[in-house]
Amino acid sequence: MRRVIVCCFAGSAAVSGLLAGLAFAGVHHLALVLTGVALLGVGLGVREPLLTSAVRAVVDTTAVAGAVRVRSAMASLSSFSGPIVAGALVGPLGYSAVLALSCAVVTVCAALTAALPMPAAPARPRERAAVGAASWAADAAAGFRAIRGVVPEWRLALLAMAVDFALFPVFAVVVPALVSSHHPGRTWVLSIVESAFAVGMILGSALVVGWSNRAVGRRRTVPYGFAALGAGFVGTGAAVALTGPGAPLVFTAVASLLLMVSGAGLCMVTVNTGTVRLLATPSEFRNRMVAAASFLSGIVMPLGSLAGGLISRTSGEWLALTALGGVICLCAGIARADRSLTRFLAMPDEELDEAYLREFPSAFGGAAVR
């Protein structure tokens, strides 16, 4: 696993270095840039599930929840600060130098990953040894079979697909269209309200998740997180309807507060469900389960953008926000009523260790472990 992560970092560094070299040489071809961005996306898509799985390999069972919170907070901070830092550096240094700096940063990440002690998980006797494309296809199929066979993970995957269907178009389509139509020329409105969501994610990962888990437990925190995420979007839609095209300051203040709540709610869900997945999944299936879950939630994003765009165009941005937020609020009720999901969310971390293998052995192709 570590070799693959290092290769992904190295590949991303090479692509960034190539783009920087082209920029310094004054070569500007859209096809080359698009290809480079696509390759960076592929590296990210392969690397992130592996990095998530690696958390369980480097920390003890009791520390997994804290490690997932820290990783989520750092990822949110990176997403928030990255564009700001890049924008601040492009002015004095130029985009060519910033691309070169990006290449250097990713190279350092590859070196740090290579130096990280990461014990290999012991292979179980039933695991089939294979190499090449056939092994990759078999492992991918095994990941999807495992998710389908583990009842709480399958239901959680369906909920995640519904949430991503509603979440992705909010910032990809609806909010930019809303600002363009209601507050034309005021790009600062878009910057502030989208930054507020990222700030909410940072606060949610660093503070709110831990506080909520201690106060009401993980079983209640996840449905509350769904509700907070959806309610923030519904409230933002109501703010649009009430303020109309005027009062950009009022809209910005109200929407920023509501979207900050939504960002915190998203982390209340993802941190806790990610912790359960890492702990309850057997080690040799962990990468496959995480990757399969990421794939399933990602494939609905283009459909969500299409739906969000159609609703915005036909009925207005405020109704699109309200409808998409309503879908997520519905997920809160479903998650709260699902006994299979809440049963695993309520388990202590020590009991969760490979609990899926004990409860659903057929999903992993073996007999139950007692």
Side-chain angles (χ1 to χ4, degrees):
M1 179 170 64
R2 178 168 52 186
R3 287 195 298 269
V4 177
I5 296 173
V6 171
C7 287
C8 288
F9 274 123
S12 298
V15 172
S16 299
L18 178 60
L19 291 175
L22 293 174
F24 278 116
V27 178
H28 304 96
H29 289 296
L30 180 59
L32 290 175
V33 174
L34 290 177
T35 302
V37 172
L39 291 173
L40 291 173
V42 170
L44 181 67
V46 174
R47 185 180 74 224
E48 285 306 303
L50 293 175
L51 286 172
T52 301
S53 301
V55 171
R56 181 65 184 88
V58 297
V59 299
D60 295 331
T61 300
T62 56
V64 169
V68 173
R69 285 198 300 270
V70 171
R71 186 175 186 279
S72 178
M74 296 305 296
S76 301
L77 179 61
S78 175
S79 299
F80 171 69
S81 61
I84 297 175
V85 173
L89 293 177
V90 165
L93 300 180
Y95 60 87
S96 303
V98 173
L99 283 170
L101 181 61
S102 174
C103 174
V105 170
V106 179
T107 301
V108 171
C109 291
L112 292 175
T113 304
L116 179 68
M118 191 179 298
R124 297 186 185 274
R126 65 176 177 275
E127 190 171 15
R128 177 180 54 84
V131 294
S135 174
W136 176 85
D139 287 346
F144 288 111
R145 283 197 303 269
I147 278 195
R148 186 63 184 88
V150 177
V151 175
E153 280 295 327
W154 176 242
R155 293 175 181 174
L156 183 60
L158 295 177
L159 288 174
M161 291 173 71
V163 168
D164 283 338
F165 176 88
L167 173 62
F168 186 74
V170 168
F171 296 103
V173 178
V174 179
V175 172
L178 185 156
V179 173
S180 177
S181 61
H182 286 69
H183 308 290
R186 297 184 173 93
T187 55
W188 54 269
V189 175
L190 180 62
S191 299
I192 292 175
V193 297
E194 290 196 345
S195 297
F197 185 80
V199 171
M201 291 180 64
I202 297 170
L203 294 176
S205 301
L207 300 174
V208 178
V209 174
W211 175 82
S212 181
N213 285 352
R214 289 189 295 271
V216 300
R218 187 160 48 203
R219 179 175 65 86
R220 292 186 178 89
T221 295
V222 170
Y224 290 168
F226 279 122
L229 176 61
F233 292 156
V234 172
T236 303
V240 174
L242 293 174
T243 59
L249 289 176
V250 175
F251 167 75
T252 302
V254 174
S256 296
L257 180 61
L258 291 169
L259 291 178
M260 196 178 298
V261 171
S262 290
L266 177 62
C267 289
M268 291 166 67
V269 175
T270 57
V271 169
N272 282 312
T273 56
T275 299
V276 171
R277 182 177 295 122
L278 288 180
L279 287 170
T281 305
S283 57
E284 71 272 21
F285 275 83
R286 197 170 294 133
N287 294 341
R288 310 174 206 180
M289 287 273 281
V290 172
S294 299
F295 176 81
L296 289 173
S297 62
I299 59 175
V300 298
M301 291 180 181
L303 297 176
S305 295
L306 178 62
L310 289 175
I311 298 174
S312 297
R313 184 173 181 177
T314 57
S315 304
E317 291 83 8
W318 73 271
L319 186 58
L321 279 169
T322 303
L324 295 173
V327 170
I328 300 176
C329 288
L330 180 61
C331 292
I334 295 173
R336 184 177 178 84
D338 192 322
R339 294 186 177 180
S340 177
L341 177 59
T342 55
R343 181 166 70 91
F344 282 90
L345 289 173
M347 286 184 181
D349 290 353
E350 294 79 5
E351 293 183 20
L352 275 172
D353 194 22
E354 298 203 348
Y356 288 163
L357 181 62
R358 296 191 297 272
E359 297 284 340
F360 310 100
S362 61
F364 306 102
V369 175
R370 300 296 179 186

